[in-house]
Amino acid sequence: MTNNDIFKKLRVALMLRDDQIVEILELVDFRISKSELGAFFRDEKHPNYVECGDQVLRNFLNGLVIHLRGTKENPKNPKDVLAKHKAEIPAKAKETAKNDTKAPKTNFKKKPTNKKAAPKVQVVEKVKFKNGKNKNS
C-alpha cells in the first residue's frame, strides 16, 4: 500500500475536501497548493500523477492530530470536529440532490399574441433539382 493510497483513504474516511487538507497542512507550517495535492489523488496511469512522499504524509498526519485534538492550550473533542465535517458535507449533498431529483418546471402555455400573424413571404422560389440521372431509364 503506497502513501497515495493511505492519503486517499484518509481523505475519504474523514470526508475532507482539498481546501481543508491544505489548511491542515498549514497547521504544521507545510504549504502545498491544491493542484499539487490533486496530483496525489490521480490514477497511477495519469500523466500528471505524482507519488506522495513520506514528508507530505507525515506532515499531514501531524496536522491532522492538531486539527482533530487541538493543542495542549486549546484542546478539542475529535468527535465534535468530525460531526462538524459531516454536517457540512451532507447539507451540500442534500441541496444538490433536491435540485437534481426535481424536474424543472416548464410552462407550456402559449404566450398571448396581440398581433395578427403576417403572411409568410417566400424568399426562394421552388427549384426542381436535376442531378443528371434519368428517371425514365
Side-chain angles (χ1 to χ4, degrees):
M1 190 173 216
T2 64
N3 287 345
N4 293 61
D5 295 334
I6 295 168
F7 209 177
K8 286 179 193 177
K9 290 183 183 296
L10 284 170
R11 176 181 169 211
V12 171
L14 298 171
M15 294 179 283
L16 297 172
R17 297 186 314 266
D18 287 344
D19 57 336
Q20 291 174 325
I21 294 173
V22 169
E23 291 173 8
I24 289 170
L25 286 168
E26 286 179 359
L27 291 175
V28 290
D29 297 326
F30 189 83
R31 284 166 186 59
I32 192 168
S33 67
K34 284 186 186 180
S35 58
E36 290 173 314
L37 193 61
F40 296 140
F41 301 125
R42 295 185 188 276
D43 188 35
E44 292 177 3
K45 298 171 187 169
H46 195 279
N48 294 339
Y49 170 80
V50 176
E51 200 167 311
C52 181
D54 292 337
Q55 183 181 12
V56 176
L57 187 62
R58 181 182 66 236
N59 283 310
F60 174 71
L61 292 173
N62 289 335
L64 189 63
V65 169
I66 294 171
H67 176 72
L68 293 176
R69 294 185 194 165
T71 59
K72 286 184 179 181
E73 298 82 30
N74 188 14
K76 296 180 188 176
N77 186 357
K79 288 184 180 181
D80 295 339
V81 176
L82 292 175
K84 182 180 172 185
H85 287 301
K86 279 186 180 180
E88 289 175 2
I89 292 174
K92 291 179 184 177
K94 286 179 185 176
E95 290 174 9
T96 56
K98 286 180 184 178
N99 294 340
D100 291 342
T101 56
K102 290 183 181 178
K105 293 182 180 180
T106 54
N107 245 346
F108 291 111
K109 295 179 184 177
K110 292 184 178 179
K111 295 181 182 177
T113 56
N114 295 339
K115 298 180 184 178
K116 292 183 179 179
K120 291 185 179 180
V121 178
Q122 198 170 21
V123 179
V124 180
E125 296 177 13
K126 291 185 179 180
V127 179
K128 188 174 183 182
F129 293 100
K130 296 182 180 179
N131 59 2
K133 296 181 179 177
N134 288 335
K135 291 185 179 180
N136 297 336
S137 42

